[in-house]
Amino acid sequence: PYPIVEAAMFHHDPMNPAVANRELVASVHLADYFAWKRKKALVMPKLQASAFELLGTTAEECEELVSQVT
């Protein structure tokens, strides 16, 4: 389905004007970032802070959620 393809294609650039399913892509963007952070990756994907605002959350809330899940 297109939303899944779009999430795969744009998860490093969720605010790209070509994105139609912005909330989904922003969610995958944050999930990707926090997954790599949890793994203590040597190279981290660039985090777009505007994804937090789009989804109505904060970095602190996401950090808290990640700490509860892992």
Side-chain angles (χ1 to χ4, degrees):
Y2 183 78
I4 304 301
V5 172
E6 186 177 54
M9 288 177 58
F10 290 103
H11 73 276
H12 287 286
D13 189 16
M15 299 316 203
N16 186 304
V19 173
N21 299 285
R22 199 167 306 282
E23 290 83 6
L24 172 64
V25 176
S27 297
V28 173
H29 172 71
L30 293 179
D32 178 58
Y33 175 81
F34 284 104
W36 283 109
K37 185 175 180 181
R38 173 78 171 107
K39 292 181 75 145
K40 296 179 173 57
L42 297 177
V43 178
M44 292 288 296
K46 184 177 179 185
L47 179 62
Q48 290 192 14
S50 53
F52 294 111
E53 184 177 329
L54 175 70
L55 296 172
T57 190
T58 65
E60 294 78 18
E61 289 174 332
C62 289
E63 291 278 1
E64 176 64 26
L65 182 61
V66 170
S67 72
Q68 291 174 10
V69 175
T70 56

